[in-house]
Amino acid sequence: MTRYQHLADLLAQRIEAGLYQSGERLPSVRTLSDEHSVSISTVQQAYHLLEDRQLITPQPRSGYYVTPRKHTPPAPAISRPAQRPVEITQWGCVLDRLNEEPDSDAIPFGSGSPDMCQSTMAPLWKAMTRLMQAQDSRVLNYDPVYGSLALREQVARLAIDSGCHLNPADIIITHGCHEALMVAIRAACQEGDIVAVESPAFHGIMQKLRGSKIKVIEIPTDSSTGISVEALKLALEQWPIKAVMLVPNCNNPLGFIMPEQRKRELLSLAQCYDIAIIEDDVYGDLAFEYPRPITIKSLDTDGRVLLCSSFSKTVAPGLRVGWIAPGRYFDRVVYMKYTGTGASASHPQLAIAEFIKSGGYQTHLRRMRKYYQQNLEKFTCRVREYFPCGICVSRPQGGFMMWIELPEHFDSVRLSLELSEAKVQFVIGSLFSASGKYRNCLRLNYGLPYSDKVDQALRKLAKAVECAMLECQMQIAEENRQAHANR
Amino acid sequence: MTRYQHLADLLAQRIEAGLYQSGERLPSVRTLSDEHSVSISTVQQAYHLLEDRQLITPQPRSGYYVTPRKHTPPAPAISRPAQRPVEITQWGCVLDRLNEEPDSDAIPFGSGSPDMCQSTMAPLWKAMTRLMQAQDSRVLNYDPVYGSLALREQVARLAIDSGCHLNPADIIITHGCHEALMVAIRAACQEGDIVAVESPAFHGIMQKLRGSKIKVIEIPTDSSTGISVEALKLALEQWPIKAVMLVPNCNNPLGFIMPEQRKRELLSLAQCYDIAIIEDDVYGDLAFEYPRPITIKSLDTDGRVLLCSSFSKTVAPGLRVGWIAPGRYFDRVVYMKYTGTGASASHPQLAIAEFIKSGGYQTHLRRMRKYYQQNLEKFTCRVREYFPCGICVSRPQGGFMMWIELPEHFDSVRLSLELSEAKVQFVIGSLFSASGKYRNCLRLNYGLPYSDKVDQALRKLAKAVECAMLECQMQIAEENRQAHANR
């Protein structure tokens, strides 16, 4: 990052924090030049950049002023999905996503990958290389079906941070959280069952349920506190629900952390109706707050929680190392794991175990939490600047996913097609509903390194949204006019 | 290997090949010393070794003679399993196997792993190390759900050797053959279906069927020509069978290669009854004959064969790289793969692709084919020497698995418990039947490097078999006596 960009970011943060208020005059170029020991031209360039970002406005012969601020867009309201079990659709859209040609020119706001370029990854690379150089024979051999003991010990240690007291023998290593979730479903449910999910919910989870011939009931979910325990209770009274599947910490896609009290209430409800809880904690270690939030599993007294996680979001997805602590479903999960894929690969397990044991993982987490939080601040600021009024934006408390809700009639599928030509990719909201709701929503990965290219892509996206919203409004107005004329 | 061991092996091979016949006098120590340009004491040591192995017998003041030969034990007769669909049992025994504490002192005749210590593995280690040293970012990233294109291209190239003309787009990389078989079952069958299998059949396959709530019908199988097409036809006439699942090349556990004509007949039958064929070719590249035998898939004209394989038996199981060419079931297999585990790990795929592309894999295969064939010769020779009469031994045509059939009432479970204390491990035969048949059989991995320790373990096994057979005979005699007395 150049000096002027650095200065511009600093000033933007001050504006963001209210140190320079809306409409207020900013310090003169000379003052800033003295204050930050930079050249006059550096300050000028920084001001031009902020002007480009519409954060400040020049007044001829007077200086720069903070652009009168737009209001922060509200968070999405609690969702209102269909209150009955439905067959899951949307596989076609997921497949389209899988079939997308990788395009290194495109800006992948739709990606589910973390940033993997930080220097704190170095100890992991070293551990991986060392095992190879030593021609460690464990790399070639079958691991136990439970996974490497070295890694299970480290996972048990890490789990303490989320309030869980697990033994290595309680844990099974899996091929990413993907496999953990699948074996959890197959262990706790059968064909024809009904499972309750958050709404919106991660499309991967829903496709797994579909593949297991399970119906889902989508439960209203608040974008800051999570699944509505009250609505879940109503659903449990009405339907023979077998399990609830959720991402209570740094939710995907909404980013909330479910408050501890709600977690307790949810567990009580599950105990009362004797259902299983499949808890996906894959983003949990990336909570901005520290110490990290507890898992529902940490409150579990009778083994009904199947806790699933992985190192795909905290470290790297390509290593395919996940894990499950399945409580009372342990034996069934072992069976599903054995019949599904047999043992997991040894090398990445050993390397990650070493990465954790040496403290490298924790250092990396500290870096990533800070990185994502800073990126979120930039993103939120730019979204507010660039996007039109009338949208809602989630307030992520961890992870790297942002959820944007556009007006009700908006078609994000059309927008997605239009923007993929302009090399801007995002995930359409309807993927996050069993029945195709949230067509007016989008999910963005704000974890991308914030470059000029990313900034331009975000502008393009905002511009396209603005145009589409205008079109949409005109269409509605026209429809109203015709309806009025026909009356 | 020392000089005298080398000479002893050479002489053993000559005896084996009939160059020195049963009871014939062997050349004098001096003659051999001259002939092979080795010292007198080397020849003496070689002769002592052969004497220990009971291959030759000293006659005082006359020299060494070939020990009068035992007859080669016959191959097992065609199997006669129950001719009706059955629920699969045996999970308990499989789990016991999975839970066995690894014991580096024990001789693992029960292992399913190939020998991975040959120098032809060096290029693979190099490729794996290089990717790590270069910090190749592909290692960390999600691969496409289909797997790495680089590897799919190489798999398509290799498939030509088995008569298959595949495109990379016909292939999906999986987490070992384990996952390939599981997605094949889930793509071609449903809960409650019936699937035909060989008998004996690999326990991993049967547990996958059990996990999918599928019944099996075990089809009589010949130890040298494979599944009885006639018996399969009778079963198809009688039951609504959905698929047949088999290992036609270098079968596990019997080691046969199904003759090409039989493969054609099986395919015609499958076409006639419109069933799927799930073909496990995981040992196919290890056939002793060259060029390697064709797959049934290579004869397939309407996409009904799901060909499953991996690099677990040819290279190393710990890398967990397998693949499937699922024909007309492609879309369903992609779905099952996505919902089951998502993408596969990138690093081992890239390394194996490089290993094949550079020719290293083919060099390794040549070495391994020869190695296993030589090991088989040694093993067969020793089994004949050490084991009592009254047993049947398979005649493997590739791979590294040997099947030994003991008299009908023999209990290999008891033998297994007894021998595991003596640090000798093997797989009990009943694991290879859905309904617990083959309790009188055992499977041995003859791919272990043939050391003195391995030799001693084989002797221990043979001795224990002999004792148990004697006990068994005495018990039967006693029962007959009592039955006679009670008459």
Side-chain angles (χ1 to χ4, degrees), chain B residues 84-86 88 184-185 188-190 192-198 205-206 209 212-219 227 232 235-236 239-246 275-278 434:
Chain B
R84 60 175 195 286
V86 292
I88 297 153
I185 292 169
C189 310
Q190 302 209 333
D193 280 350
I194 302 169
V195 167
V197 297
E198 292 152 331
I205 288 182
M206 283 190 297
L209 292 167
S212 306
K213 298 189 182 161
I214 288 168
K215 284 187 184 178
V216 306
I217 180 157
E218 298 172 273
I219 306 295
I227 196 166
L232 178 61
L236 284 165
W239 308 100
I241 292 168
K242 201 68 174 287
V244 57
M245 208 159 172
L246 73 177
I275 62 168
I277 297 177
I278 302 176

mmCIF file of all heavy atoms in Angstrom, chain B residues 84-86 88 184-185 188-190 192-198 205-206 209 212-219 227 232 235-236 239-246 275-278 434:
data_model
loop_
_atom_site.group_PDB
_atom_site.id
_atom_site.type_symbol
_atom_site.label_atom_id
_atom_site.label_comp_id
_atom_site.label_asym_id
_atom_site.label_seq_id
_atom_site.Cartn_x
_atom_site.Cartn_y
_atom_site.Cartn_z
ATOM 1 N N ARG B 84 -30.097 -66.602 -1.859
ATOM 2 C CA ARG B 84 -31.222 -65.673 -1.632
ATOM 3 C C ARG B 84 -30.667 -64.363 -1.069
ATOM 4 O O ARG B 84 -29.579 -64.363 -0.473
ATOM 5 C CB ARG B 84 -32.231 -66.285 -0.660
ATOM 6 C CG ARG B 84 -31.631 -66.588 0.684
ATOM 7 C CD ARG B 84 -32.606 -67.087 1.719
ATOM 8 N NE ARG B 84 -31.948 -66.988 3.017
ATOM 9 C CZ ARG B 84 -30.986 -67.820 3.427
ATOM 10 N NH1 ARG B 84 -30.606 -68.848 2.678
ATOM 11 N NH2 ARG B 84 -30.411 -67.638 4.598
ATOM 12 N N PRO B 85 -31.381 -63.264 -1.256
ATOM 13 C CA PRO B 85 -30.887 -61.982 -0.724
ATOM 14 C C PRO B 85 -30.822 -62.035 0.796
ATOM 15 O O PRO B 85 -31.727 -62.569 1.440
ATOM 16 C CB PRO B 85 -31.935 -60.978 -1.186
ATOM 17 C CG PRO B 85 -32.666 -61.653 -2.308
ATOM 18 C CD PRO B 85 -32.644 -63.104 -1.992
ATOM 19 N N VAL B 86 -29.763 -61.507 1.346
ATOM 20 C CA VAL B 86 -29.623 -61.490 2.806
ATOM 21 C C VAL B 86 -29.246 -60.094 3.289
ATOM 22 O O VAL B 86 -28.679 -59.298 2.556
ATOM 23 C CB VAL B 86 -28.527 -62.492 3.285
ATOM 24 C CG1 VAL B 86 -28.955 -63.926 3.058
ATOM 25 C CG2 VAL B 86 -27.187 -62.207 2.595
ATOM 26 N N ILE B 88 -26.857 -57.801 5.373
ATOM 27 C CA ILE B 88 -25.428 -57.948 5.647
ATOM 28 C C ILE B 88 -25.165 -57.816 7.142
ATOM 29 O O ILE B 88 -25.702 -56.909 7.789
ATOM 30 C CB ILE B 88 -24.642 -56.876 4.858
ATOM 31 C CG1 ILE B 88 -24.857 -57.114 3.374
ATOM 32 C CG2 ILE B 88 -23.156 -56.909 5.204
ATOM 33 C CD1 ILE B 88 -24.722 -55.891 2.534
ATOM 34 N N ALA B 184 -20.995 -44.642 -6.211
ATOM 35 C CA ALA B 184 -21.541 -45.523 -7.256
ATOM 36 C C ALA B 184 -22.802 -46.212 -6.748
ATOM 37 O O ALA B 184 -23.840 -46.233 -7.431
ATOM 38 C CB ALA B 184 -20.496 -46.562 -7.664
ATOM 39 N N ILE B 185 -22.716 -46.749 -5.529
ATOM 40 C CA ILE B 185 -23.887 -47.433 -4.951
ATOM 41 C C ILE B 185 -25.045 -46.454 -4.813
ATOM 42 O O ILE B 185 -26.175 -46.738 -5.216
ATOM 43 C CB ILE B 185 -23.539 -48.015 -3.558
ATOM 44 C CG1 ILE B 185 -22.546 -49.165 -3.698
ATOM 45 C CG2 ILE B 185 -24.799 -48.474 -2.834
ATOM 46 C CD1 ILE B 185 -21.946 -49.638 -2.374
ATOM 47 N N ALA B 188 -26.559 -45.571 -8.232
ATOM 48 C CA ALA B 188 -27.226 -46.621 -9.026
ATOM 49 C C ALA B 188 -28.326 -47.345 -8.254
ATOM 50 O O ALA B 188 -29.150 -48.030 -8.870
ATOM 51 C CB ALA B 188 -26.189 -47.626 -9.516
ATOM 52 N N CYS B 189 -28.335 -47.223 -6.944
ATOM 53 C CA CYS B 189 -29.279 -48.011 -6.143
ATOM 54 C C CYS B 189 -30.017 -47.132 -5.137
ATOM 55 O O CYS B 189 -29.623 -46.004 -4.884
ATOM 56 C CB CYS B 189 -28.544 -49.094 -5.357
ATOM 57 S SG CYS B 189 -27.437 -50.093 -6.332
ATOM 58 N N GLN B 190 -31.041 -47.725 -4.556
ATOM 59 C CA GLN B 190 -31.810 -47.039 -3.526
ATOM 60 C C GLN B 190 -31.971 -47.962 -2.323
ATOM 61 O O GLN B 190 -31.768 -49.178 -2.440
ATOM 62 C CB GLN B 190 -33.198 -46.712 -4.068
ATOM 63 C CG GLN B 190 -33.174 -45.868 -5.319
ATOM 64 C CD GLN B 190 -34.395 -45.003 -5.426
ATOM 65 O OE1 GLN B 190 -35.440 -45.361 -4.899
ATOM 66 N NE2 GLN B 190 -34.263 -43.872 -6.080
ATOM 67 N N GLY B 192 -33.389 -50.510 0.122
ATOM 68 C CA GLY B 192 -34.301 -51.628 -0.111
ATOM 69 C C GLY B 192 -33.975 -52.437 -1.353
ATOM 70 O O GLY B 192 -34.552 -53.510 -1.567
ATOM 71 N N ASP B 193 -33.053 -51.943 -2.187
ATOM 72 C CA ASP B 193 -32.680 -52.685 -3.401
ATOM 73 C C ASP B 193 -31.887 -53.946 -3.053
ATOM 74 O O ASP B 193 -31.417 -54.107 -1.913
ATOM 75 C CB ASP B 193 -31.802 -51.801 -4.314
ATOM 76 C CG ASP B 193 -32.641 -50.828 -5.132
ATOM 77 O OD1 ASP B 193 -33.875 -50.962 -5.135
ATOM 78 O OD2 ASP B 193 -32.051 -49.922 -5.759
ATOM 79 N N ILE B 194 -31.727 -54.799 -4.069
ATOM 80 C CA ILE B 194 -30.874 -55.987 -3.931
ATOM 81 C C ILE B 194 -29.711 -55.833 -4.905
ATOM 82 O O ILE B 194 -29.912 -55.482 -6.072
ATOM 83 C CB ILE B 194 -31.647 -57.276 -4.273
ATOM 84 C CG1 ILE B 194 -32.881 -57.422 -3.378
ATOM 85 C CG2 ILE B 194 -30.742 -58.501 -4.137
ATOM 86 C CD1 ILE B 194 -33.832 -58.522 -3.819
ATOM 87 N N VAL B 195 -28.506 -56.106 -4.421
ATOM 88 C CA VAL B 195 -27.319 -56.056 -5.276
ATOM 89 C C VAL B 195 -26.631 -57.423 -5.238
ATOM 90 O O VAL B 195 -26.527 -58.038 -4.169
ATOM 91 C CB VAL B 195 -26.354 -54.940 -4.799
ATOM 92 C CG1 VAL B 195 -24.986 -55.060 -5.454
ATOM 93 C CG2 VAL B 195 -26.945 -53.566 -5.089
ATOM 94 N N ALA B 196 -26.185 -57.899 -6.400
ATOM 95 C CA ALA B 196 -25.460 -59.173 -6.467
ATOM 96 C C ALA B 196 -23.970 -58.902 -6.274
ATOM 97 O O ALA B 196 -23.441 -57.929 -6.810
ATOM 98 C CB ALA B 196 -25.707 -59.840 -7.807
ATOM 99 N N VAL B 197 -23.325 -59.768 -5.499
ATOM 100 C CA VAL B 197 -21.869 -59.631 -5.291
ATOM 101 C C VAL B 197 -21.203 -60.987 -5.470
ATOM 102 O O VAL B 197 -21.853 -62.029 -5.400
ATOM 103 C CB VAL B 197 -21.534 -59.089 -3.877
ATOM 104 C CG1 VAL B 197 -22.079 -57.691 -3.666
ATOM 105 C CG2 VAL B 197 -22.044 -60.023 -2.787
ATOM 106 N N GLU B 198 -19.887 -60.940 -5.696
ATOM 107 C CA GLU B 198 -19.110 -62.169 -5.705
ATOM 108 C C GLU B 198 -19.136 -62.777 -4.303
ATOM 109 O O GLU B 198 -19.422 -62.091 -3.325
ATOM 110 C CB GLU B 198 -17.655 -61.847 -6.078
ATOM 111 C CG GLU B 198 -17.485 -61.383 -7.511
ATOM 112 C CD GLU B 198 -16.290 -60.457 -7.692
ATOM 113 O OE1 GLU B 198 -15.933 -59.746 -6.726
ATOM 114 O OE2 GLU B 198 -15.729 -60.423 -8.801
ATOM 115 N N ILE B 205 -16.934 -53.315 0.567
ATOM 116 C CA ILE B 205 -18.063 -53.174 -0.353
ATOM 117 C C ILE B 205 -19.356 -53.548 0.359
ATOM 118 O O ILE B 205 -20.362 -52.844 0.279
ATOM 119 C CB ILE B 205 -17.860 -54.076 -1.605
ATOM 120 C CG1 ILE B 205 -16.765 -53.503 -2.505
ATOM 121 C CG2 ILE B 205 -19.172 -54.255 -2.361
ATOM 122 C CD1 ILE B 205 -16.522 -54.298 -3.776
ATOM 123 N N MET B 206 -19.314 -54.653 1.079
ATOM 124 C CA MET B 206 -20.564 -55.099 1.703
ATOM 125 C C MET B 206 -21.039 -54.153 2.787
ATOM 126 O O MET B 206 -22.234 -53.909 2.926
ATOM 127 C CB MET B 206 -20.401 -56.517 2.202
ATOM 128 C CG MET B 206 -20.492 -57.464 1.002
ATOM 129 S SD MET B 206 -20.607 -59.147 1.471
ATOM 130 C CE MET B 206 -19.052 -59.353 2.280
ATOM 131 N N LEU B 209 -22.883 -51.349 1.232
ATOM 132 C CA LEU B 209 -24.235 -51.738 0.853
ATOM 133 C C LEU B 209 -25.133 -51.754 2.095
ATOM 134 O O LEU B 209 -26.261 -51.257 2.079
ATOM 135 C CB LEU B 209 -24.220 -53.110 0.179
ATOM 136 C CG LEU B 209 -23.540 -53.123 -1.201
ATOM 137 C CD1 LEU B 209 -23.272 -54.548 -1.669
ATOM 138 C CD2 LEU B 209 -24.392 -52.386 -2.228
ATOM 139 N N SER B 212 -26.186 -48.430 3.126
ATOM 140 C CA SER B 212 -27.191 -47.861 2.224
ATOM 141 C C SER B 212 -28.495 -48.657 2.283
ATOM 142 O O SER B 212 -29.371 -48.482 1.439
ATOM 143 C CB SER B 212 -26.646 -47.853 0.796
ATOM 144 O OG SER B 212 -25.397 -47.203 0.761
ATOM 145 N N LYS B 213 -28.585 -49.540 3.271
ATOM 146 C CA LYS B 213 -29.805 -50.357 3.481
ATOM 147 C C LYS B 213 -30.163 -51.182 2.254
ATOM 148 O O LYS B 213 -31.324 -51.234 1.828
ATOM 149 C CB LYS B 213 -30.968 -49.470 3.918
ATOM 150 C CG LYS B 213 -30.655 -48.791 5.246
ATOM 151 C CD LYS B 213 -31.837 -48.079 5.826
ATOM 152 C CE LYS B 213 -31.410 -47.399 7.128
ATOM 153 N NZ LYS B 213 -32.318 -46.344 7.525
ATOM 154 N N ILE B 214 -29.138 -51.800 1.705
ATOM 155 C CA ILE B 214 -29.315 -52.640 0.524
ATOM 156 C C ILE B 214 -29.025 -54.080 0.936
ATOM 157 O O ILE B 214 -28.111 -54.337 1.719
ATOM 158 C CB ILE B 214 -28.359 -52.161 -0.585
ATOM 159 C CG1 ILE B 214 -28.860 -50.813 -1.135
ATOM 160 C CG2 ILE B 214 -28.221 -53.193 -1.702
ATOM 161 C CD1 ILE B 214 -27.881 -50.102 -2.023
ATOM 162 N N LYS B 215 -29.827 -55.010 0.418
ATOM 163 C CA LYS B 215 -29.547 -56.423 0.672
ATOM 164 C C LYS B 215 -28.611 -56.939 -0.419
ATOM 165 O O LYS B 215 -28.584 -56.407 -1.523
ATOM 166 C CB LYS B 215 -30.847 -57.234 0.614
ATOM 167 C CG LYS B 215 -31.714 -57.084 1.847
ATOM 168 C CD LYS B 215 -32.874 -58.055 1.771
ATOM 169 C CE LYS B 215 -33.813 -57.850 2.938
ATOM 170 N NZ LYS B 215 -34.967 -58.746 2.860
ATOM 171 N N VAL B 216 -27.889 -58.007 -0.111
ATOM 172 C CA VAL B 216 -27.069 -58.581 -1.168
ATOM 173 C C VAL B 216 -27.464 -60.023 -1.407
ATOM 174 O O VAL B 216 -27.973 -60.709 -0.524
ATOM 175 C CB VAL B 216 -25.547 -58.552 -0.875
ATOM 176 C CG1 VAL B 216 -25.086 -57.165 -0.535
ATOM 177 C CG2 VAL B 216 -25.156 -59.531 0.193
ATOM 178 N N ILE B 217 -27.215 -60.448 -2.633
ATOM 179 C CA ILE B 217 -27.283 -61.868 -2.929
ATOM 180 C C ILE B 217 -25.879 -62.250 -3.375
ATOM 181 O O ILE B 217 -25.302 -61.627 -4.278
ATOM 182 C CB ILE B 217 -28.386 -62.184 -3.970
ATOM 183 C CG1 ILE B 217 -28.408 -63.678 -4.246
ATOM 184 C CG2 ILE B 217 -28.236 -61.396 -5.259
ATOM 185 C CD1 ILE B 217 -29.750 -64.143 -4.793
ATOM 186 N N GLU B 218 -25.321 -63.250 -2.682
ATOM 187 C CA GLU B 218 -23.951 -63.679 -2.971
ATOM 188 C C GLU B 218 -23.996 -64.724 -4.074
ATOM 189 O O GLU B 218 -24.765 -65.686 -3.998
ATOM 190 C CB GLU B 218 -23.326 -64.261 -1.710
ATOM 191 C CG GLU B 218 -23.219 -63.248 -0.576
ATOM 192 C CD GLU B 218 -22.784 -63.880 0.742
ATOM 193 O OE1 GLU B 218 -23.655 -64.365 1.486
ATOM 194 O OE2 GLU B 218 -21.580 -63.891 1.011
ATOM 195 N N ILE B 219 -23.181 -64.527 -5.079
ATOM 196 C CA ILE B 219 -23.210 -65.405 -6.258
ATOM 197 C C ILE B 219 -21.993 -66.343 -6.222
ATOM 198 O O ILE B 219 -20.876 -65.885 -5.937
ATOM 199 C CB ILE B 219 -23.177 -64.557 -7.543
ATOM 200 C CG1 ILE B 219 -24.316 -63.509 -7.544
ATOM 201 C CG2 ILE B 219 -23.251 -65.435 -8.790
ATOM 202 C CD1 ILE B 219 -25.712 -64.061 -7.595
ATOM 203 N N ILE B 227 -16.916 -64.733 -10.874
ATOM 204 C CA ILE B 227 -18.348 -64.908 -10.613
ATOM 205 C C ILE B 227 -18.963 -65.832 -11.666
ATOM 206 O O ILE B 227 -18.623 -65.766 -12.847
ATOM 207 C CB ILE B 227 -19.056 -63.531 -10.584
ATOM 208 C CG1 ILE B 227 -20.431 -63.615 -9.942
ATOM 209 C CG2 ILE B 227 -19.145 -62.921 -11.970
ATOM 210 C CD1 ILE B 227 -21.019 -62.244 -9.590
ATOM 211 N N LEU B 232 -25.505 -66.156 -11.719
ATOM 212 C CA LEU B 232 -26.041 -64.791 -11.682
ATOM 213 C C LEU B 232 -27.335 -64.725 -12.486
ATOM 214 O O LEU B 232 -28.312 -64.085 -12.081
ATOM 215 C CB LEU B 232 -25.003 -63.798 -12.231
ATOM 216 C CG LEU B 232 -25.459 -62.346 -12.291
ATOM 217 C CD1 LEU B 232 -25.811 -61.801 -10.898
ATOM 218 C CD2 LEU B 232 -24.382 -61.450 -12.913
ATOM 219 N N ALA B 235 -30.140 -66.080 -10.538
ATOM 220 C CA ALA B 235 -30.529 -65.121 -9.499
ATOM 221 C C ALA B 235 -31.344 -63.974 -10.100
ATOM 222 O O ALA B 235 -32.342 -63.536 -9.524
ATOM 223 C CB ALA B 235 -29.284 -64.580 -8.803
ATOM 224 N N LEU B 236 -30.927 -63.523 -11.297
ATOM 225 C CA LEU B 236 -31.636 -62.412 -11.951
ATOM 226 C C LEU B 236 -33.058 -62.823 -12.339
ATOM 227 O O LEU B 236 -33.980 -61.997 -12.322
ATOM 228 C CB LEU B 236 -30.866 -61.956 -13.200
ATOM 229 C CG LEU B 236 -29.618 -61.121 -12.928
ATOM 230 C CD1 LEU B 236 -28.744 -61.034 -14.177
ATOM 231 C CD2 LEU B 236 -29.992 -59.720 -12.446
ATOM 232 N N TRP B 239 -34.923 -62.792 -8.687
ATOM 233 C CA TRP B 239 -34.986 -61.638 -7.787
ATOM 234 C C TRP B 239 -34.846 -60.323 -8.553
ATOM 235 O O TRP B 239 -34.155 -60.277 -9.560
ATOM 236 C CB TRP B 239 -33.857 -61.721 -6.744
ATOM 237 C CG TRP B 239 -33.780 -63.014 -6.008
ATOM 238 C CD1 TRP B 239 -32.931 -64.052 -6.255
ATOM 239 C CD2 TRP B 239 -34.601 -63.434 -4.920
ATOM 240 N NE1 TRP B 239 -33.155 -65.078 -5.392
ATOM 241 C CE2 TRP B 239 -34.182 -64.736 -4.545
ATOM 242 C CE3 TRP B 239 -35.656 -62.832 -4.208
ATOM 243 C CZ2 TRP B 239 -34.779 -65.438 -3.501
ATOM 244 C CZ3 TRP B 239 -36.229 -63.543 -3.168
ATOM 245 C CH2 TRP B 239 -35.803 -64.826 -2.826
ATOM 246 N N PRO B 240 -35.464 -59.267 -8.020
ATOM 247 C CA PRO B 240 -35.359 -57.945 -8.695
ATOM 248 C C PRO B 240 -34.028 -57.269 -8.367
ATOM 249 O O PRO B 240 -34.003 -56.284 -7.628
ATOM 250 C CB PRO B 240 -36.538 -57.174 -8.117
ATOM 251 C CG PRO B 240 -36.721 -57.750 -6.743
ATOM 252 C CD PRO B 240 -36.305 -59.197 -6.805
ATOM 253 N N ILE B 241 -32.974 -57.822 -8.916
ATOM 254 C CA ILE B 241 -31.627 -57.311 -8.615
ATOM 255 C C ILE B 241 -31.385 -56.016 -9.383
ATOM 256 O O ILE B 241 -31.737 -55.908 -10.553
ATOM 257 C CB ILE B 241 -30.588 -58.402 -8.974
ATOM 258 C CG1 ILE B 241 -30.744 -59.568 -7.997
ATOM 259 C CG2 ILE B 241 -29.165 -57.848 -8.940
ATOM 260 C CD1 ILE B 241 -29.998 -60.822 -8.392
ATOM 261 N N LYS B 242 -30.760 -55.033 -8.715
ATOM 262 C CA LYS B 242 -30.599 -53.703 -9.302
ATOM 263 C C LYS B 242 -29.210 -53.513 -9.922
ATOM 264 O O LYS B 242 -29.050 -52.748 -10.870
ATOM 265 C CB LYS B 242 -30.792 -52.671 -8.190
ATOM 266 C CG LYS B 242 -31.156 -51.283 -8.629
ATOM 267 C CD LYS B 242 -32.529 -51.185 -9.227
ATOM 268 C CE LYS B 242 -32.920 -49.754 -9.523
ATOM 269 N NZ LYS B 242 -33.237 -48.980 -8.322
ATOM 270 N N ALA B 243 -28.218 -54.189 -9.349
ATOM 271 C CA ALA B 243 -26.845 -54.006 -9.831
ATOM 272 C C ALA B 243 -26.005 -55.202 -9.414
ATOM 273 O O ALA B 243 -26.381 -55.947 -8.505
ATOM 274 C CB ALA B 243 -26.250 -52.727 -9.226
ATOM 275 N N VAL B 244 -24.879 -55.355 -10.105
ATOM 276 C CA VAL B 244 -23.899 -56.346 -9.665
ATOM 277 C C VAL B 244 -22.604 -55.588 -9.381
ATOM 278 O O VAL B 244 -22.240 -54.659 -10.114
ATOM 279 C CB VAL B 244 -23.727 -57.492 -10.697
ATOM 280 C CG1 VAL B 244 -23.337 -56.962 -12.062
ATOM 281 C CG2 VAL B 244 -22.674 -58.504 -10.238
ATOM 282 N N MET B 245 -21.967 -55.966 -8.295
ATOM 283 C CA MET B 245 -20.789 -55.237 -7.835
ATOM 284 C C MET B 245 -19.648 -56.233 -7.781
ATOM 285 O O MET B 245 -19.758 -57.258 -7.091
ATOM 286 C CB MET B 245 -21.109 -54.736 -6.429
ATOM 287 C CG MET B 245 -20.390 -53.495 -6.077
ATOM 288 S SD MET B 245 -21.176 -52.617 -4.751
ATOM 289 C CE MET B 245 -19.894 -51.390 -4.492
ATOM 290 N N LEU B 246 -18.568 -55.976 -8.509
ATOM 291 C CA LEU B 246 -17.509 -56.998 -8.532
ATOM 292 C C LEU B 246 -16.122 -56.441 -8.784
ATOM 293 O O LEU B 246 -15.968 -55.296 -9.184
ATOM 294 C CB LEU B 246 -17.865 -58.113 -9.508
ATOM 295 C CG LEU B 246 -17.806 -57.902 -11.019
ATOM 296 C CD1 LEU B 246 -18.145 -59.208 -11.719
ATOM 297 C CD2 LEU B 246 -18.782 -56.829 -11.469
ATOM 298 N N ILE B 275 -29.429 -54.095 -15.618
ATOM 299 C CA ILE B 275 -28.877 -53.752 -14.303
ATOM 300 C C ILE B 275 -27.551 -53.005 -14.481
ATOM 301 O O ILE B 275 -26.920 -53.084 -15.533
ATOM 302 C CB ILE B 275 -28.646 -55.001 -13.413
ATOM 303 C CG1 ILE B 275 -27.619 -55.964 -14.059
ATOM 304 C CG2 ILE B 275 -29.957 -55.720 -13.137
ATOM 305 C CD1 ILE B 275 -27.137 -57.050 -13.125
ATOM 306 N N ALA B 276 -27.168 -52.306 -13.445
ATOM 307 C CA ALA B 276 -25.882 -51.591 -13.465
ATOM 308 C C ALA B 276 -24.760 -52.537 -13.041
ATOM 309 O O ALA B 276 -24.998 -53.524 -12.343
ATOM 310 C CB ALA B 276 -25.943 -50.406 -12.513
ATOM 311 N N ILE B 277 -23.555 -52.243 -13.519
ATOM 312 C CA ILE B 277 -22.374 -52.993 -13.069
ATOM 313 C C ILE B 277 -21.453 -52.006 -12.352
ATOM 314 O O ILE B 277 -21.031 -51.009 -12.943
ATOM 315 C CB ILE B 277 -21.617 -53.622 -14.254
ATOM 316 C CG1 ILE B 277 -22.511 -54.641 -14.971
ATOM 317 C CG2 ILE B 277 -20.316 -54.279 -13.781
ATOM 318 C CD1 ILE B 277 -21.866 -55.270 -16.204
ATOM 319 N N ILE B 278 -21.172 -52.288 -11.092
ATOM 320 C CA ILE B 278 -20.194 -51.478 -10.361
ATOM 321 C C ILE B 278 -18.899 -52.278 -10.336
ATOM 322 O O ILE B 278 -18.820 -53.325 -9.705
ATOM 323 C CB ILE B 278 -20.689 -51.130 -8.950
ATOM 324 C CG1 ILE B 278 -22.029 -50.375 -9.052
ATOM 325 C CG2 ILE B 278 -19.653 -50.283 -8.208
ATOM 326 C CD1 ILE B 278 -22.676 -50.040 -7.718
ATOM 327 N N ALA B 434 -21.652 -61.890 3.363
ATOM 328 C CA ALA B 434 -22.718 -61.100 3.970
ATOM 329 C C ALA B 434 -23.317 -61.839 5.159
ATOM 330 O O ALA B 434 -23.810 -61.232 6.094
ATOM 331 C CB ALA B 434 -23.803 -60.831 2.937
#
